[in-house]
Amino acid sequence: MDLKFNNSRKYISITVPPKTQTMSPHIKSIDDIVVLGINLSRFNKLTQFFICVAGVFVFYLIYGYLQELIFSMEGFKSYGWYLTLVQFAFYSIFGLIELQLIQDKRRRIPGKTYMIIAFLTVGTMGLSNTSLGYLNYPTQVIFKCCKLIPVMLGGVFIQGKRYNIADVSAAVCMSLGLIWFTLADSTIAPNFNLTGVILISLALCADAVIGNVQEKAMKLHNASNSEMVLYSYSIGFVYILLGLTCTSGLGPAVTFCSKNPIQTYGYAFLFSLTGYFGISFVLALIKIFGALLAVTVTTGRKAMTIVLSFMFFAKPFTFQYVWSGLLVVLGIFLNVYSKNMDKIRLPSLYDLINKTLEMRKSRTLAQTV
């Protein structure tokens, strides 16, 4: 159907395509969420959730093991920023390769937004890697578990979100668990250093902000995971390269790694590959379910990472680690419960009292008979 209106040599033409004409691939796939070639949009929400959780756990558990393995090498602990530089380089290459496999290769998110995201990503991963030179790996991980609090604050101030009492209780439990774990570590760990606490705390703040910024940008511009990874990490690579060059930290790191290429670049490749796969599933979680649930899943993964760290790497141990870890797990449960209150109904205090009284009455009647 064509409609034309002529007025002073101006006209408007409206064309309606026939039903047999197909829509463009971009329009058809605008809501598709593809992770490592898997189109999650074909599955229901529950299946999407389990696929993302499985991807996060499998790849990030390997990622954590390789990260601690690299930093356990003698003399490497002072080169955390160089490891981050190599990691960002691999992430940029992986993102470029994945972006070539999708139909729509246009950049959707503005460059200024990517510069902010890249800066936060550098702060998150660079400070986190560097903190391992001063802290036990389980202590660094338990600090990351406390990310829920700044994520909630970021959600309030950046996106205007509001959280219920269960979310607040979860944050309190995680905070108490973190404090207890840190106190235990400062007592028995030989390499505990306050500098590491400051570094990981700054990384925690950056990590909290980045989840909310990524969620807002990806939903607003409908950007793909591969686009987010490519631009944020490639810009971050430039940031770190300039920083290392200005501080003269690039030369010594290159010299050290060239003497141990397998233990450094080889492990760094596997470390980056599993981290890239893991971050792809995390971004999918953020896009589908939001930043808070994504943090809850990654926090549960970190709890398992701590257990594996004690199993594979020798380090001091105290049962305070267990009790503080259980507090963090309780916080995770409260957070998951708050997201599923309509499906999970816990008994109230009034119901528990009534049930106890009924049980006592039945016992009394049975004894009387």
Side-chain angles (χ1 to χ4, degrees):
M1 177 180 69
D2 290 307
L3 299 177
K4 295 185 179 181
F5 301 92
N6 293 296
N7 184 16
S8 300
R9 298 181 181 179
K10 295 180 180 179
Y11 68 91
I12 300 173
S13 177
I14 302 175
T15 303
V16 179
K19 293 182 180 180
T20 55
Q21 184 175 341
T22 59
M23 300 173 69
S24 68
H26 166 63
I27 296 177
K28 286 198 302 182
S29 62
I30 192 168
D31 293 324
D32 285 358
I33 300 174
V34 181
V35 181
L36 304 182
I38 304 173
N39 190 348
L40 298 182
S41 304
R42 299 176 180 176
F43 305 99
N44 58 41
K45 286 286 184 180
L46 186 61
T47 306
Q48 289 176 352
F49 176 74
F50 280 116
I51 291 175
C52 290
V53 170
V56 169
F57 268 75
V58 170
F59 291 118
Y60 267 120
L61 287 177
I62 301 173
Y63 173 91
Y65 172 79
L66 290 171
Q67 186 181 34
E68 188 167 7
L69 184 64
I70 292 171
F71 276 93
S72 64
M73 183 173 58
E74 187 177 354
F76 188 82
K77 288 188 175 181
S78 58
Y79 301 123
W81 278 108
Y82 183 71
L83 175 64
T84 310
L85 178 71
V86 175
Q87 186 178 5
F88 273 50
F90 281 129
Y91 278 16
S92 301
I93 295 171
F94 298 152
L96 181 61
I97 293 172
E98 186 177 4
L99 192 64
Q100 300 306 310
L101 300 178
I102 64 176
Q103 292 177 334
D104 187 13
K105 301 177 177 61
R106 293 178 298 169
R107 176 173 60 84
R108 296 180 172 275
I109 299 176
K112 292 182 179 179
T113 304
Y114 272 128
M115 293 180 71
I116 296 173
I117 293 175
F119 179 79
L120 294 171
T121 306
V122 168
T124 298
M125 300 181 66
L127 294 172
S128 178
N129 285 338
T130 307
S131 69
L132 278 176
Y134 304 92
L135 293 175
N136 257 342
Y137 185 76
T139 306
Q140 186 229 43
V141 173
I142 205 71
F143 258 91
K144 289 183 179 179
C145 292
C146 197
K147 183 172 65 176
L148 177 66
I149 300 175
V151 163
M152 290 173 62
L153 293 176
V156 171
F157 292 110
I158 297 175
Q159 302 193 64
K161 289 185 177 182
R162 293 294 180 267
Y163 299 104
N164 55 36
I165 188 64
D167 286 328
V168 176
S169 301
V172 170
C173 287
M174 290 184 179
S175 299
L176 292 176
L178 170 66
I179 294 170
W180 200 1
F181 199 98
T182 306
L183 289 174
D185 196 51
S186 63
T187 304
I188 68 169
N191 61 334
F192 181 83
N193 193 308
L194 188 61
T195 303
V197 175
I198 296 173
L199 290 173
I200 194 62
S201 297
L202 293 174
L204 193 69
C205 294
D207 203 8
V209 177
I210 195 175
N212 288 284
V213 175
Q214 284 176 335
E215 178 184 359
K216 191 173 182 179
M218 292 179 74
K219 288 184 176 180
L220 181 63
H221 302 283
N222 196 35
S224 64
N225 294 349
S226 53
E227 178 196 328
M228 174 66 71
V229 171
L230 172 62
Y231 288 100
S232 58
Y233 284 99
S234 58
I235 296 173
F237 174 84
V238 176
Y239 288 165
I240 301 173
L241 183 62
L242 291 174
L244 286 175
T245 304
C246 294
T247 57
S248 302
L250 188 62
V254 172
T255 302
F256 177 86
C257 293
S258 62
K259 295 178 181 177
N260 306 278
I262 301 299
Q263 294 89 338
T264 53
Y265 293 116
Y267 289 163
F269 171 76
L270 297 176
F271 166 70
S272 302
L273 184 64
T274 53
Y276 177 80
F277 289 163
I279 196 65
S280 297
F281 284 103
V282 170
L283 288 173
L285 272 176
I286 292 173
K287 191 171 184 179
I288 300 171
F289 301 101
L292 191 61
L293 186 59
V295 169
T296 305
V297 172
T298 55
T299 301
R301 185 274 305 173
K302 289 164 189 169
M304 186 173 291
T305 302
I306 293 174
V307 176
L308 294 178
S309 177
F310 279 107
M311 291 174 59
F312 291 107
F313 299 93
K315 53 178 65 68
F317 178 79
T318 175
F319 271 101
Q320 284 184 341
Y321 286 152
V322 178
W323 310 132
S324 57
L326 289 176
L327 266 179
V328 174
V329 172
L330 176 60
I332 296 171
F333 168 76
L334 288 173
N335 183 241
V336 172
Y337 168 68
S338 72
K339 308 300 289 186
N340 298 274
M341 283 184 172
D342 55 334
K343 300 177 182 179
I344 305 174
R345 184 181 180 275
L346 296 179
S348 64
L349 182 61
Y350 178 77
D351 293 335
L352 290 174
I353 293 175
N354 282 343
K355 189 173 182 180
T356 304
L357 292 175
E358 289 177 1
M359 290 178 63
R360 287 182 178 178
K361 287 181 181 179
S362 61
R363 287 178 183 175
T364 302
L365 290 173
Q367 290 174 356
T368 304
V369 174

